[in-house]
């Protein structure tokens, strides 16, 4: 029975859910593995088990906010030293969205530390970092750590694992397309539903409502600029073999009207957005004319080497048009599956399902260490 | 660089596709693993590499039909002896649909042989066999072989792997439902399409057409009796913790009219089926009255402990109703995903995609052996 050591950086929404799921998991597999969590760190405070004996995953939160927390080890040097000093394999779980942490994955992997993470930064930033991460990982040589990041696309949905299975078994990816943002999904499913009731609100009101319900970032422009979707497409494109050099090297349609990019606050932005409602009504009406609905999608054509993110009309009978709520849908068109796609669909955001994606990656590492 | 040994039983449609995909795979990973295929056996003839040096996966078919083939080793004794004599880990790929082969999985697993298979018999037959297989496998103790059978449900679609991820990470399966048969999918998508054109054919004509296009078994009753769907539901139910004792321990709606069960031939059956078209028209009309379409589905309610297979009406806006062609759809309702399901959809039959499911399982074993 081997001992595995775990370091968790980031203990916000996803991090908390992850720790809670990990705690339950450790209980269930007690007879097969011993899992010692040796670090839980937030920006300014951390629990650190300096003798590697393990942190209590049931009381960690009160321990951390109470007297038990200390200064986190400096990143990366001190952290790396602490992790590589562990008397067994170490899995680093990065639940932050930090570029700084992601930038050090290659070093951690090269040192044999395994990395699992929902943090998109390492995979959707510079192509150099993406390549350095994979070059340092176990996939390329026998010594590096494993890296898994299922939750960077579609949270807990089996997206990257499906892509990998298709590729590993020799299928060819022709096209990947879908709705990759719960926010965009909710927005367009309410703005331009498949079966309109006539009481649909203008676009700006839909945005305001989505914000009230917590479906958007505090400033909705962080969703409407399309960058979150573009990050996911960048990851899928690179994993499909397209060397997308950076996030902005393909067309990203922003839904923020130019004059409102500089609005001082989210409120000011929302007030101004109503003036542009006619534009979006026009887009919606044009789609309806062709028996379609408008949706915000990402699309990746491997053969043509094209990636794009923005509005597109979908036939009312299509799976994308039929999406509901804030669900994501990802369609894989491949040589083997032919004209009809392999489709994965469901909630693609939320702390619980994102943490589930991270934990299933964590388990994948464990299975390889066994 | 470790050497892995492979024995392939069954070299028909799926078996051939698997060998071709395996051959390509072995070429791609030449630098990481050495994979020696030591047995390819058909019912009466086999290629066997008695010195474990490996069979040529490019020329195997002509080698087998030409002078190279011999009598297969007797099953199970001689085969087991041959496999356990290999100087490294052995993966047994069972591409048959044989009960006899499946019945011996526990012995092979106990002897440390890993099993991957699209053969439903071991998992949908007696509960004792199902339990013996899992008890002998690596999941339960440290010594047995791994067993993977993704392709027993939905061919290459990520169904069992998704179920396992949900369970391993502590989610609770509430309900699983969907269309689990390409034949039934095609039949009802043509008999009762979402958007009728008015030129829909009677049910018997749809069955005849599906047969001509190769979507049914030679005798369509082998699809219409619902047993194939029931086998898949039995597998999902057991993996979800419901101890379904046998295939017939839950309601299975057969679409074969009683008087035709004994029809002497497929042709006689099809001739007779037209007399029952009015019944199916009635079923279709009743669904239309409630704004729904009728579909042949399998459903599994974990909380209630209920499994059922048969016709059901689906709201026209639902994902099941929107299915096209001969696609499968599998919806997982879980505690975490709440009211909206995690959905996997796509081609669920065909040699290429079934072989892909088997090969991705094969790779999962390899990753664990590394």
């Amino acid at each position: 029975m081997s001992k595995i050591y775990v370091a968790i950086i980031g203990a916000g929404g996803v991090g908390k859910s992850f720790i809670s799921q990990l705690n339950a998991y450790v209980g269930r597999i007690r007879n097969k593995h011993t899992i010692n969590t040796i670090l839980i760190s937030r920006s300014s405070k951390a629990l650190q088990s300096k003798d590697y004996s393990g942190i209590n995953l049931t009381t960690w939160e009160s321990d951390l906010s109470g007297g038990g927390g200390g200064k986190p080890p400096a990143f990366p040097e001190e952290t790396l030293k602490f992790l590589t000093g562990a008397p067994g394999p170490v899995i680093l779980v990065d639940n932050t969205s930090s570029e700084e942490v992601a930038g050090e994955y290659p070093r951690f992997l090269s040192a044999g530390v395994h990395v699992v993470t929902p943090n998109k930064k390492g995979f959707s930033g510079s192509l150099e970092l993406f390549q350095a991460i994979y070059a340092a990982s176990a996939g390329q040589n026998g010594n590096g750590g494993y890296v898994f990041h299922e939750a960077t696309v579609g949270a807990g949905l089996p997206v990257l694992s499906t892509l990998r299975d298709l590729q590993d078994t020799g299928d060819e990816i022709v096209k990947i397309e879908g709705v990759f943002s719960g926010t965009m999904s909710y927005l367009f499913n309410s703005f331009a539903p498949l079966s309109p009731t006539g009481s649909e609100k203008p676009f700006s009101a839909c945005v305001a409502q989505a914000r009230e319900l917590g479906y958007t970032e505090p400033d909705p422009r962080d969703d409407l600029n399309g960058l979150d979707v573009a990050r996911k497409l960048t990851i899928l494109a690179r994993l499909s073999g397209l060397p997308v050099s950076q996030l902005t090297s393909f067309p990203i349609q922003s839904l923020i009207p130019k004059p409102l990019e500089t609005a001082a606050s989210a409120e000011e932005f929302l007030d101004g957005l109503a003036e542009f409602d006619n534009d979006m009504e026009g887009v919606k009406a044009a789609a309806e004319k062709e028996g379609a609905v408008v949706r915000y999608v990402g699309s990746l054509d491997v053969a043509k080497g094209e990636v794009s993110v923005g509005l597109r009309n979908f036939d009312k009978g299509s799976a994308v048009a039929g999406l509901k709520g804030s669900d994501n849908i990802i369609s894989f068109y491949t040589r083997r599956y032919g004209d009809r796609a392999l489709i994965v669909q469901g909630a693609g955001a939320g702390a619980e399902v994102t943490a589930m994606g991270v934990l299933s990656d964590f388990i994948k590492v464990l299975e390889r260490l066994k």
Side-chain angles (χ1 to χ4, degrees), chain A:
Chain A
M1 205 165 68
S2 56
K3 270 197 184 167
I4 316 279
Y5 298 85
V6 185
I8 299 164
I9 305 188
V14 172
K16 270 192 210 179
S17 289
F18 173 78
I19 295 170
S20 154
Q21 290 183 19
L22 177 67
N23 192 23
Y25 177 74
V26 168
R28 288 197 298 279
I29 62 157
R30 208 170 292 268
N31 300 325
K32 280 193 274 182
H33 288 287
T34 306
I35 294 182
N36 277 6
T37 302
I38 54 174
L39 179 69
I40 297 179
S41 84
R42 280 181 170 157
S43 41
S44 59
K45 233 176 167 184
L47 290 175
Q48 184 177 1
S49 173
K50 290 194 178 167
D51 62 357
Y52 302 106
S53 62
I55 294 162
N56 185 326
L57 291 182
T58 305
T59 60
W60 73 272
E61 215 172 341
S62 53
D63 291 346
L64 188 57
S65 56
K71 231 183 111 218
F75 191 88
E77 297 300 341
E78 237 186 284
T79 307
L80 184 61
K81 204 176 150 194
F82 173 60
L83 298 194
T84 53
V90 178
I91 304 177
L92 172 65
V93 182
D94 171 19
N95 286 322
T96 72
S97 56
S98 152
E99 271 188 55
E100 188 201 355
V101 176
E104 301 295 338
Y105 292 166
R107 276 186 71 185
F108 280 78
L109 289 165
S110 297
V113 174
H114 310 289
V115 174
V116 304
T117 184
N119 179 357
K120 293 187 261 296
K121 297 294 164 57
F123 311 95
S124 61
S126 80
L127 180 61
E128 290 66 36
L129 177 56
F130 176 89
Q131 288 171 336
I133 290 169
Y134 273 93
S137 79
Q140 307 285 322
N141 60 59
N143 308 315
Y146 293 103
V147 60
F148 286 101
H149 53 99
E150 180 65 86
T152 55
V153 181
L157 298 176
V159 177
L160 301 191
S161 58
T162 298
L163 177 59
R164 196 180 314 112
D165 279 350
L166 290 165
Q167 293 174 321
D168 283 353
T169 61
D171 203 354
E172 277 160 37
I173 310 298
V174 176
K175 201 173 76 177
I176 302 176
E177 74 173 19
V179 173
F180 292 90
S181 151
T183 312
M184 291 293 197
S185 182
Y186 180 83
L187 260 181
F188 284 88
N189 295 343
S190 31
F191 173 63
L194 194 56
S195 315
T197 62
S199 63
E200 281 72 35
K201 294 179 183 163
F203 188 68
S204 62
C206 291
V207 175
Q209 187 184 32
R211 184 174 181 243
E212 274 160 35
L213 293 172
Y215 283 125
T216 72
E217 298 290 323
D219 187 334
R221 284 176 293 185
D222 291 337
D223 296 296
L224 295 176
N225 62 17
L227 285 181
D228 173 66
V229 177
R231 283 195 182 279
K232 293 168 184 166
L233 265 291
T234 299
I235 295 171
L236 287 172
R238 288 173 177 170
L239 291 175
S240 303
L242 292 185
V244 172
S245 68
Q246 52 182 331
L247 198 56
T248 51
S249 52
F250 55 85
I252 306 170
Q253 183 177 3
S254 169
L255 298 184
I256 308 171
K258 242 254 131 348
L260 298 181
E261 282 175 357
T262 51
S265 69
E267 284 67 25
E268 200 184 308
F269 165 71
L270 281 169
D271 287 346
L273 193 59
E275 284 176 41
F276 297 86
D277 277 339
N278 276 342
D279 298 354
M280 286 302 285
E281 289 299 328
V283 168
K284 177 170 153 180
E288 268 166 17
K289 231 185 218 166
E290 26 176 289
V293 288
V294 64
R295 294 290 181 264
Y296 194 92
V297 295
S299 158
L300 154 65
D301 186 318
V302 178
K304 292 189 191 153
E306 284 174 7
V307 184
S308 72
V309 167
L311 294 174
R312 243 177 59 205
N313 295 345
F314 282 81
D315 188 273
K316 289 202 170 185
S318 68
V320 168
L323 207 62
K324 294 204 178 65
S326 60
D327 279 2
N328 287 11
I329 184 168
I330 296 96
S331 303
F332 297 92
Y333 292 88
T334 77
R335 180 174 53 73
R336 269 184 210 142
Y337 280 88
D339 288 345
R340 311 215 37 76
L342 189 172
I343 297 176
V344 176
Q345 180 179 329
E352 279 287 304
V353 293
T354 303
M356 168 201 156
V358 181
L359 183 57
S360 67
D361 279 350
F362 182 93
I363 296 170
K364 287 189 176 74
V365 173
L366 277 193
E367 287 164 344
R368 285 162 173 76
L369 296 181
K370 208 176 167 175

